[in-house]
Amino acid sequence: MTVSIADLVPGASESGGDLSAATLREMFRFMLLARVLDERMWLLNRAGKAPFVISCQGHEAAQVGAAFALTRGKDFTLPYYRGLATVLVMGMTPTEVMLGLFARATDPSSGGRQMPAHYSHRRLKIITQSSPVGTQIAHAAGVGLAERIKGGDAVVWTSFGEGTTSQGDFHEGINLAAVQQLPVIFQCENNEYAISVPQKQQMAVTSVADRGPAYGIPGISVDGTDLLSVYEVTRRAVERARRGDGSTLIEARVVRLTAHSSDDNDRTYRSQRELKSMRLSDPLARFAAYLHDQDMLSEAEERDLRAEIGAEVDAATEAAEQAPMPDPETLHNYVYAL
Amino acid sequence: MTVSIADLVPGASESGGDLSAATLREMFRFMLLARVLDERMWLLNRAGKAPFVISCQGHEAAQVGAAFALTRGKDFTLPYYRGLATVLVMGMTPTEVMLGLFARATDPSSGGRQMPAHYSHRRLKIITQSSPVGTQIAHAAGVGLAERIKGGDAVVWTSFGEGTTSQGDFHEGINLAAVQQLPVIFQCENNEYAISVPQKQQMAVTSVADRGPAYGIPGISVDGTDLLSVYEVTRRAVERARRGDGSTLIEARVVRLTAHSSDDNDRTYRSQRELKSMRLSDPLARFAAYLHDQDMLSEAEERDLRAEIGAEVDAATEAAEQAPMPDPETLHNYVYAL
Amino acid sequence: MPEINLLEAIRQGLDEMMAQDDRIFIFGEDVGRRGGVFRVTEGLIDKYGPLRVLDSPLAESVIVGACIGAAMNDTRPIAEIQFADFIAPAFNQIVQEAARIHYRSNGDWSVPMVIRAPYGGGIHGALYHSQSIEAFFAHVPGLKVVAPATPYDAKGLLKSAIEDNNPVLFLEHKKTYRLIKGQVPEHDYRVPIGPAEIKRPGEDLSVFAYGLMIHYCLEAAQSLAASGVSVEVVDLRTLRPLDVPTILASSRRTGKVLIVHEDNLTGGFGGEIAALIAEHAFEYLDAPIVRLGGPDVPAMPFARSLEDAFMPNPQKIIEAMRRLAAY
Amino acid sequence: MPEINLLEAIRQGLDEMMAQDDRIFIFGEDVGRRGGVFRVTEGLIDKYGPLRVLDSPLAESVIVGACIGAAMNDTRPIAEIQFADFIAPAFNQIVQEAARIHYRSNGDWSVPMVIRAPYGGGIHGALYHSQSIEAFFAHVPGLKVVAPATPYDAKGLLKSAIEDNNPVLFLEHKKTYRLIKGQVPEHDYRVPIGPAEIKRPGEDLSVFAYGLMIHYCLEAAQSLAASGVSVEVVDLRTLRPLDVPTILASSRRTGKVLIVHEDNLTGGFGGEIAALIAEHAFEYLDAPIVRLGGPDVPAMPFARSLEDAFMPNPQKIIEAMRRLAAY
Ligand SMILES: Cc1ncc(C[n+]2csc(CCOP(=O)(O)OP(=O)(O)O)c2C)c(N)n1
Ligand SMILES: Cc1ncc(C[n+]2csc(CCOP(=O)(O)OP(=O)(O)O)c2C)c(N)n1
Ligand SMILES: [Mg+2]
Ligand SMILES: [Mg+2]
């Protein structure tokens, strides 16, 4: 099922639904923060200071919209490696993100053990991610199962790419959540590529949401560059999950504005035309234009915000760069939990 | 999509479609042969002569109907452990089946290495099966992929239970076949149980066929106790595959007339009422009644047929029992192919 | 002390732990109404309800994967893999996820869960219901691997495994389930994960084994005693972390070592034990380190003639012991 | 003879075999237009078309599973696993299916396929892009496991693997891809699966290794030569089937053995080698058998400081050799 915000809340995409102007500006702030941080990481990579970057550029609206529908400190998130905007909204700081980029000892995700963008933060209920794609989908079902056993009402949210839907764990995890009616939201961020492989070589359907009915749960496809639509769709999925009605599969159609990662060169498989035209779908520009239109954000305010965020990212970069590397002696720590 | 034969071929379930009376009697013969063989195996088990039996009782119409739509010697089958009727139609003899039951050296499936009902026969293009469920679904896709690469027009048919649809390999295998439009038919024989676990704990949908659209292929649910419906649905799927239009997922709704296997006791999880009422869905009785109704089989003919098959099964049992056990020295054979 | 079989010891262990701690739940195929295909969980659904004794879909990756998630949300899952052979689809979740989560999160998250897996052959289970799987998993840092041989150890180790804050693979030899009986105290006790136990002290040679093979080795040792050969039988009980001090001490004392396992010889866990001894007890050795394992064929066949040819048994062990003693 | 790197040698091997035999096809993630994330298959799609160089869905179990099916329908598939770490979801298909099909069908069916898997660390790949996986698979009867160290061996072994009628796991150390260059003849040749090769003969001690570690061992041996210690470096090349005669002959000759691998020490494949020597060359040994492996932590961390601490390197090998020589 493909929905637009207008189907859900008549007039919503014009009005921003029931969100206050302050909240909308806050959402914009997170999108911008994610973008600026992400761009900075590429600069650091190109300058030889960060060996690996993988981006959320183009996915910001899908992530900020969804995360705003969750309750921070209560709900669990299991975001995949493009989830920078997700973890920022859930409470990770730019400095913490940069500590991960530089693999510093105090990186909260892994103490410099994992590649950047493998987010984890126990206090924030962000569950540790690995690199083999799709495993978190099964974990998410399990977190939901435990919640049901404990009688709690936290909701579990996980994200993954459309390529990852080809994995067995996608199927097994969603199926379990559906059978047991678990409070889990599965967000597929469909950017039409798995590294170089286009969507049509992953699936013979046009939308990942078409798979919801195969599991007996709603499958909803939403324009993932439209923050308010994603927010609204997720809000409803959260309500459904919280009241015990079970899982939802959401496909957020996004664009991948960068190469797959700093190790990739997408000009070998995307045409010049495509590389250019995708820029038109930039969710950040889209939401900025919306806020300007609605007179919720002036040019001057945006400029100030950019300056403020720029400074914040400078400070985060500097703090993280100066943080100590992991002590080689710590290699042997935490093989087993005590 | 749920279809009945009447939707496909108006008047078919009354007339037997385009099948001659001789063919219909041949079909009945295979159903009966499978049943008598299967019952004999249980007797041998209870007599302490065969340590393990797993049945196709209740699945015969689904298997004979489907196999008659395939071309023997040309098309590949990858039948699961309930596929006794399938392999008989594809050309395995009762003696060969009994050699497997007794784990004799000349068992064509495995030379006595595997449990009974793990069918294999290279000349008959029956591909070797293992015990971990669902792996053959991926193999079937691969056999189809090779067929496409080679430019051949053989069709690939595989079967599995509804419990097995919960496995990642079900998803990955069908998805690949769908993406590449491979000539593969996936027959799910839905008997509503995976050992003791009922269908509703495997999936939150009422029909496995609901999953076809999630892969962009037809999903067809058919009454698997109605031989002619299964034949017709499979015939169309074969045509579709043979002409290069791709895969079909067929759910044949059947009954499991026995316990899961000779190691199981289904009275611990099926009610007396259910155990009794399922007898009403016996596909063999149903097809016999149909043939009698149509005057294609007289009581006397059926009696003769039973006698003939009984003798055949006696002979097969005797031949197999007398065949030599595998020589312990052969334990080390065929670790590697030369 | 009442005498019970190994299967009952495990069931008791599950039952007593579940009664004490309602964060514990069981998740696996047919574990509910059916009580498991071996009847290990029989009756538990009636006592603890279908939420804590839950039939899973037929999908091992998510059995383990969901238990990992659940363990991170403050429960203590016990996954049942119906036959150890069917753990293979869950390999990714066990090795790449469960075993690495504590390490990769720098100690932030942990995965307190048990994976019970009935393994081993000699029960006419053929290629796919007979396998030994310990070598794959005992190689994985971050996992614990336990393989008890007696009802006492099984119950005590199971309780320790459930209380452990790490993923523990708990291997139950199918042939020992009803065959092996032993005394089990009525009071609450633990057998700690880690220490091996000398099940029979001896002077002339040391034998290291676990699971069913312990019983075959004890039988063989008993039979050699008659001819004046004194065999020490060490039950490893835990394969990871391995009790290296006990292994080395025994090897140094007797100077002769036999390692027995049912798993295929090449690349089996016996290699690790031999290597440790060859490195750290070398000066004390009076003879080659001998391994006796299953032959290097893909798995144990169904036909009785072939199964017997595959399985290590007391007779084969006696011969190996004799040769070694005579060296 | 032209000098090329190991990656080019593999690409040439693929290319030359595909040109000769149109039953061969490549199936894996990003192998088509992208030419693989390491560029091994670059250009092949243009030469052989998208049917023979086919981008798979992102699903390793069906990458292997479909290749198994295809191999049984008269083609010769080459599966590419993007990083060896991601082979774990295909464990079931490899171990329970590919490796057992010939055996379980009593020789009726066979699975001629190659699984290429870039493995190993020291390339800043962190926990999930650095792993060594050979111990899991070298334990499996029915599989062949190959791990070349030089461009010559890589090309020659790859061709043999493609022609082999069994499933062959072909391990390519990522760090050797562009680092290791060597002469490769222009004519068609093979390196047979099985035989090890003495890459450097020596008298005082034998070192057994494979892959990247061969180069580190050669470097270390070279450096010890200066102090008069003569080290024999044996490149195992094939881990399964293992060249036991060459291993034993070298061990007997020198009487001292060092085994080096990057994989975690405990349960690593070095244990098997040590065990074979401790059993079959015991009388000739003058010193404990020493293993040098990666530490027993779940995997290789990202931070340079930790990665360096994990990786065996020439310096650590030199020290081990010195200690052993001085024993
Ligand atoms: C099991 C596994 N196989 C392969 C990879 C290598 N890999 C990393 S990301 C990626 C593509 C993922 O595509 P998608 O799921 O669409 O997410 P996207 O990166 O497009 O957001 C691949 C193949 C992996 N990480 N895990
Ligand atoms: C991977 C795997 N896990 C568990 C089993 C044990 N097992 C054998 S048959 C079966 C139930 C299969 O149910 P279904 O697929 O519905 O087929 P049915 O027997 O009902 O025809 C189970 C759980 C197995 N064979 N393979
Ligand atoms: Mg994508
Ligand atoms: Mg069923």
Side-chain angles (χ1 to χ4, degrees):
Chain A
M1 177 176 60
T2 299
V3 297
S4 76
I5 189 77
D7 302 329
L8 293 167
V9 189
S13 91
E14 291 78 46
S15 75
D18 57 356
L19 296 167
S20 70
T23 303
L24 293 170
R25 275 198 299 266
E26 181 73 0
M27 288 169 138
F28 180 70
R29 191 186 187 287
F30 275 111
M31 285 180 71
L32 187 59
L33 177 60
R35 177 65 58 91
V36 173
L37 255 175
D38 197 294
E39 287 173 344
R40 180 65 57 88
M41 294 196 251
W42 282 89
L43 288 176
L44 291 163
N45 173 261
R46 295 318 185 210
K49 290 190 172 184
F52 181 77
V53 174
I54 194 158
S55 270
C56 89
Q57 292 184 43
H59 293 230
E60 295 94 341
Q63 294 177 16
V64 173
F68 263 80
L70 300 170
T71 304
R72 277 157 264 185
K74 170 174 187 151
D75 295 333
F76 289 88
T77 55
L78 299 88
Y80 83 126
Y81 50 78
R82 291 204 198 284
L84 174 59
T86 307
V87 298
L88 290 172
V89 176
M90 297 316 285
M92 223 182 246
T93 67
T95 303
E96 288 177 325
V97 170
M98 284 296 183
L99 286 165
L101 183 74
F102 292 126
R104 292 311 198 244
T106 47
D107 152 37
S109 295
S110 75
R113 290 174 169 193
Q114 292 222 71
M115 284 183 150
H118 288 58
Y119 302 108
S120 172
H121 205 304
R122 185 153 187 189
R123 185 173 47 80
L124 302 176
K125 297 197 163 184
I126 299 169
I127 289 188
T128 170
Q129 295 302 295
S130 66
S131 305
V133 299
T135 50
Q136 76 275 20
I137 301 173
H139 302 170
V143 178
L145 184 62
E147 198 62 22
R148 236 257 309 265
I149 290 171
K150 298 191 310 178
D153 72 340
V155 164
V156 187
W157 182 94
T158 188
S159 63
F160 47 86
E162 87 295 341
T164 299
T165 65
S166 298
Q167 286 282 348
D169 274 359
F170 164 85
H171 173 72
E172 296 190 11
I174 296 190
N175 188 51
L176 173 64
V179 167
Q180 296 292 337
Q181 288 200 39
L182 303 176
V184 189
I185 297 162
F186 300 97
Q187 170 152 319
C188 177
E189 300 182 8
N190 183 352
N191 58 19
E192 293 177 17
Y193 283 96
I195 308 186
S196 71
V197 181
Q199 180 183 339
K200 71 172 196 305
Q201 283 184 267
Q202 298 289 349
M203 65 191 85
V205 289
T206 51
S207 167
V208 173
D210 293 352
R211 295 192 166 167
Y215 300 107
I217 63 170
I220 297 171
S221 184
V222 63
D223 180 347
T225 67
D226 177 2
L227 183 142
L228 295 177
S229 295
V230 178
Y231 170 76
E232 184 54 27
V233 159
T234 311
R235 200 182 59 72
R236 290 172 179 230
V238 169
E239 258 177 42
R240 175 180 150 83
R242 193 105 59 211
R243 69 171 179 257
D245 288 350
S247 309
T248 304
L249 171 62
I250 296 172
E251 177 196 60
R253 293 189 315 279
V254 297
V255 282
R256 195 187 78 196
L257 291 174
T258 62
H260 172 71
S261 74
S262 53
D263 289 342
D264 183 35
N265 173 6
D266 56 348
R267 277 164 304 182
T268 60
Y269 56 85
R270 297 213 263 201
S271 69
Q272 271 307 324
R273 215 170 107 226
E274 181 180 336
L275 287 166
K276 222 165 167 180
S277 73
M278 74 183 178
R279 292 270 143 211
L280 301 175
S281 309
D282 185 337
L284 186 68
R286 180 175 179 169
F287 196 52
Y290 168 78
L291 291 181
H292 291 315
D293 267 12
Q294 302 287 315
D295 285 332
M296 289 183 183
L297 185 76
S298 69
E299 302 268 328
E301 282 169 327
E302 185 178 342
R303 221 176 15 248
D304 290 352
L305 189 62
R306 281 183 183 272
E308 182 197 314
I309 284 175
E312 195 180 344
V313 170
D314 287 346
T317 308
E318 204 168 320
E321 249 190 304
Q322 281 163 13
M325 289 293 285
D327 181 340
E329 295 293 303
T330 64
L331 178 71
H332 296 271
N333 293 355
Y334 304 120
V335 174
Y336 288 123
L338 299 181
Chain B
M1 176 176 60
T2 299
V3 296
S4 77
I5 189 76
D7 301 329
L8 292 167
V9 189
S13 91
E14 291 78 48
S15 74
D18 56 358
L19 296 167
S20 70
T23 303
L24 293 171
R25 276 197 300 265
E26 181 73 359
M27 288 170 138
F28 179 70
R29 191 186 187 289
F30 275 112
M31 285 180 70
L32 186 60
L33 176 59
R35 177 65 58 91
V36 173
L37 255 176
D38 197 294
E39 287 173 345
R40 180 67 55 89
M41 294 196 251
W42 281 90
L43 289 176
L44 291 163
N45 174 261
R46 294 320 184 209
K49 291 191 170 184
F52 183 77
V53 174
I54 193 157
S55 270
C56 89
Q57 292 183 42
H59 293 230
E60 294 94 341
Q63 294 178 15
V64 173
F68 262 80
L70 299 171
T71 305
R72 277 157 265 186
K74 170 174 188 152
D75 295 333
F76 289 88
T77 55
L78 298 88
Y80 83 127
Y81 49 79
R82 292 203 198 284
L84 173 58
T86 306
V87 299
L88 291 172
V89 177
M90 298 315 286
M92 222 182 246
T93 67
T95 303
E96 288 178 324
V97 169
M98 283 297 183
L99 287 165
L101 183 75
F102 293 125
R104 293 311 199 244
T106 47
D107 153 36
S109 295
S110 76
R113 290 175 170 193
Q114 293 221 71
M115 284 182 150
H118 288 59
Y119 301 108
S120 172
H121 206 304
R122 185 154 187 189
R123 185 173 48 78
L124 302 176
K125 296 196 163 186
I126 299 169
I127 290 189
T128 169
Q129 296 302 296
S130 66
S131 305
V133 300
T135 51
Q136 77 274 20
I137 301 173
H139 302 170
V143 178
L145 184 62
E147 197 63 21
R148 236 256 312 262
I149 291 171
K150 298 192 309 179
D153 72 340
V155 164
V156 186
W157 183 94
T158 188
S159 62
F160 47 87
E162 86 296 339
T164 299
T165 66
S166 298
Q167 286 282 348
D169 274 358
F170 164 85
H171 173 71
E172 296 189 12
I174 296 191
N175 188 50
L176 173 64
V179 168
Q180 296 293 337
Q181 288 200 39
L182 303 176
V184 189
I185 297 163
F186 300 97
Q187 170 153 318
C188 177
E189 301 183 7
N190 183 352
N191 59 18
E192 293 176 18
Y193 284 96
I195 308 186
S196 72
V197 181
Q199 180 183 340
K200 72 172 195 303
Q201 282 184 267
Q202 298 289 348
M203 65 191 86
V205 289
T206 50
S207 166
V208 172
D210 292 353
R211 296 195 164 165
Y215 299 107
I217 63 171
I220 297 172
S221 185
V222 63
D223 180 346
T225 66
D226 178 2
L227 182 142
L228 295 177
S229 294
V230 179
Y231 169 75
E232 184 55 26
V233 159
T234 311
R235 200 182 58 74
R236 290 171 179 231
V238 170
E239 259 178 39
R240 175 181 150 82
R242 193 109 55 210
R243 71 173 176 257
D245 288 349
S247 310
T248 304
L249 172 61
I250 295 172
E251 178 197 60
R253 291 189 316 280
V254 298
V255 282
R256 195 187 80 196
L257 292 174
T258 62
H260 171 72
S261 74
S262 53
D263 289 343
D264 184 34
N265 172 4
D266 57 348
R267 276 164 304 182
T268 60
Y269 55 86
R270 297 212 263 200
S271 69
Q272 271 308 323
R273 212 167 112 230
E274 181 180 336
L275 287 166
K276 220 164 170 181
S277 73
M278 74 185 179
R279 292 269 142 212
L280 301 175
S281 309
D282 185 336
L284 186 68
R286 179 176 178 168
F287 196 52
Y290 168 79
L291 292 181
H292 292 315
D293 268 12
Q294 303 287 315
D295 284 331
M296 290 185 183
L297 186 76
S298 69
E299 302 269 327
E301 282 168 329
E302 185 179 342
R303 218 173 21 245
D304 290 352
L305 190 61
R306 283 183 182 272
E308 181 197 315
I309 284 175
E312 195 181 346
V313 170
D314 287 346
T317 308
E318 204 169 319
E321 248 189 306
Q322 280 162 14
M325 289 293 285
D327 181 339
E329 295 294 303
T330 64
L331 178 72
H332 296 271
N333 292 356
Y334 304 121
V335 174
Y336 288 123
L338 300 181
Chain C
M1 278 199 288
E3 182 157 286
I4 58 174
N5 65 28
L6 193 134
L7 187 149
E8 286 168 274
I10 292 171
R11 189 193 295 132
Q12 281 184 6
L14 292 171
D15 191 356
E16 291 168 21
M17 293 300 285
M18 290 185 81
Q20 279 170 36
D21 184 347
D22 61 15
R23 296 171 308 165
I24 300 169
F25 72 99
I26 297 176
F27 190 49
E29 295 154 11
D30 303 286
V31 297
R33 188 57 46 219
R34 182 79 180 78
V37 296
F38 294 100
R39 306 288 196 204
V40 173
T41 58
E42 195 163 50
L44 298 180
I45 193 172
D46 299 319
K47 270 176 114 158
Y48 303 107
L51 215 55
R52 292 181 62 202
V53 185
L54 185 59
D55 279 332
S56 71
L58 176 33
E60 285 75 9
S61 185
V62 80
I63 291 175
V64 173
C67 286
I68 291 170
M72 289 193 278
N73 189 9
D74 269 343
T75 58
R76 312 218 43 121
I78 301 174
E80 177 174 310
I81 300 293
Q82 197 160 79
F83 285 82
D85 317 62
F86 306 140
I87 207 166
F91 187 78
N92 191 38
Q93 286 286 357
I94 297 171
V95 172
Q96 302 277 30
E97 300 294 332
R100 310 212 191 291
I101 279 176
H102 191 64
Y103 190 76
R104 81 179 185 221
S105 67
N106 211 22
D108 214 16
W109 293 98
S110 53
V111 181
M113 70 180 282
V114 177
I115 304 171
R116 293 184 39 245
Y119 77 109
I123 48 97
H124 227 48
L127 304 184
Y128 294 103
H129 298 76
S130 303
Q131 293 177 38
S132 295
I133 58 164
E134 63 274 16
F136 296 124
F137 296 100
H139 176 45
V140 180
L143 270 186
K144 297 189 176 180
V145 180
V146 164
T150 65
Y152 179 88
D153 287 346
K155 184 170 175 183
L157 278 164
L158 178 65
K159 289 187 171 187
S160 297
I162 294 171
E163 284 169 343
D164 202 287
N165 283 325
N166 297 282
V168 180
L169 178 60
F170 192 87
L171 296 171
E172 306 169 3
H173 198 293
K174 296 189 289 289
K175 190 160 182 160
T176 65
Y177 268 157
R178 295 174 194 278
L179 184 69
I180 303 300
K181 298 189 177 67
Q183 295 196 330
V184 171
E186 284 180 36
H187 70 265
D188 196 23
Y189 70 96
R190 302 287 178 276
V191 173
I193 293 180
E197 187 180 62
I198 298 175
K199 284 275 184 329
R200 177 190 175 104
E203 299 304 320
D204 300 330
L205 62 112
S206 300
V207 180
F208 301 105
Y210 45 92
L212 175 67
M213 288 302 130
I214 281 297
H215 303 287
Y216 289 1
C217 289
L218 287 169
E219 204 178 316
Q222 178 71 34
S223 128
L224 255 74
S227 31
V229 181
S230 161
V231 177
E232 175 147 306
V233 178
V234 181
D235 182 357
L236 297 175
R237 300 199 295 196
T238 295
L239 304 184
R240 187 86 189 234
L242 189 63
D243 186 351
V244 181
T246 297
I247 292 171
L248 296 182
S250 175
S251 306
R252 287 178 183 140
R253 194 148 33 69
T254 64
K256 292 184 179 180
V257 171
L258 171 67
I259 301 157
V260 181
H261 57 61
E262 182 182 319
D263 192 11
N264 308 107
L265 185 72
T266 297
F269 196 63
E272 177 61 29
I273 301 164
L276 285 166
I277 297 167
E279 182 159 0
H280 303 293
F282 176 75
E283 287 97 340
Y284 302 81
L285 291 179
D286 300 321
I289 300 171
V290 179
R291 288 182 298 164
L292 176 63
D296 286 325
V297 304
M300 198 179 302
F302 186 62
R304 172 70 31 99
S305 56
L306 298 173
E307 188 184 77
D308 287 348
F310 184 103
M311 281 292 283
N313 58 32
Q315 198 45 48
K316 295 180 193 172
I317 297 170
I318 287 172
E319 282 156 31
M321 287 176 173
R322 280 238 164 81
R323 270 197 306 274
L324 192 53
Y327 182 88
Chain D
M1 276 198 286
E3 182 155 286
I4 57 175
N5 65 28
L6 193 135
L7 187 149
E8 287 168 276
I10 292 171
R11 188 193 295 133
Q12 281 183 7
L14 293 171
D15 191 356
E16 290 168 21
M17 294 300 286
M18 290 184 81
Q20 280 171 35
D21 184 347
D22 61 15
R23 296 171 307 165
I24 300 169
F25 73 98
I26 297 176
F27 189 50
E29 295 154 12
D30 302 286
V31 296
R33 188 59 45 220
R34 182 79 181 78
V37 295
F38 293 101
R39 306 291 197 202
V40 173
T41 58
E42 196 163 49
L44 297 180
I45 193 172
D46 299 320
K47 269 177 115 161
Y48 304 106
L51 214 56
R52 291 182 61 204
V53 185
L54 184 60
D55 279 332
S56 71
L58 176 34
E60 286 74 9
S61 185
V62 80
I63 291 176
V64 173
C67 286
I68 291 170
M72 288 193 280
N73 189 7
D74 268 342
T75 58
R76 314 222 37 125
I78 301 175
E80 177 175 309
I81 300 294
Q82 197 160 80
F83 285 82
D85 315 61
F86 306 141
I87 207 167
F91 187 79
N92 191 38
Q93 286 286 358
I94 298 171
V95 172
Q96 303 276 31
E97 300 294 332
R100 309 212 192 291
I101 279 177
H102 191 64
Y103 190 77
R104 80 178 185 223
S105 67
N106 209 23
D108 213 16
W109 293 97
S110 54
V111 181
M113 70 180 281
V114 177
I115 303 172
R116 293 183 39 244
Y119 78 110
I123 48 97
H124 226 49
L127 304 184
Y128 294 102
H129 297 77
S130 303
Q131 292 177 39
S132 294
I133 58 164
E134 63 274 15
F136 296 124
F137 297 101
H139 177 46
V140 180
L143 269 187
K144 297 189 177 181
V145 180
V146 164
T150 65
Y152 179 89
D153 286 346
K155 185 170 174 181
L157 278 165
L158 179 65
K159 288 188 171 187
S160 298
I162 294 172
E163 284 168 345
D164 202 287
N165 283 325
N166 297 282
V168 180
L169 177 61
F170 192 87
L171 296 171
E172 305 169 2
H173 198 292
K174 295 190 289 289
K175 189 159 181 161
T176 65
Y177 267 157
R178 293 171 196 279
L179 184 70
I180 302 301
K181 298 190 176 66
Q183 294 196 329
V184 171
E186 285 182 35
H187 70 265
D188 197 24
Y189 70 97
R190 302 287 179 276
V191 173
I193 293 180
E197 188 181 61
I198 298 175
K199 283 277 186 325
R200 178 190 174 106
E203 299 304 320
D204 299 330
L205 60 113
S206 300
V207 181
F208 302 104
Y210 46 92
L212 176 67
M213 288 303 130
I214 280 298
H215 303 285
Y216 289 0
C217 289
L218 288 169
E219 205 179 317
Q222 178 70 33
S223 127
L224 254 75
S227 29
V229 181
S230 162
V231 177
E232 175 148 306
V233 179
V234 182
D235 181 357
L236 298 176
R237 299 198 296 194
T238 295
L239 304 183
R240 188 86 192 233
L242 190 62
D243 186 351
V244 182
T246 297
I247 292 171
L248 296 182
S250 175
S251 306
R252 287 178 183 141
R253 195 150 29 71
T254 65
K256 291 184 178 179
V257 171
L258 171 68
I259 301 156
V260 182
H261 58 60
E262 182 182 320
D263 191 11
N264 308 107
L265 185 73
T266 297
F269 196 63
E272 178 61 29
I273 301 164
L276 285 166
I277 297 167
E279 180 157 1
H280 302 294
F282 176 75
E283 287 99 339
Y284 301 82
L285 290 180
D286 300 321
I289 300 170
V290 178
R291 287 183 298 165
L292 176 63
D296 285 325
V297 304
M300 198 179 303
F302 186 61
R304 173 69 33 99
S305 57
L306 297 173
E307 188 183 78
D308 288 348
F310 184 103
M311 281 292 283
N313 58 31
Q315 199 46 48
K316 295 180 194 172
I317 297 169
I318 287 171
E319 282 156 31
M321 287 175 173
R322 279 238 165 81
R323 271 196 306 275
L324 192 53
Y327 182 90

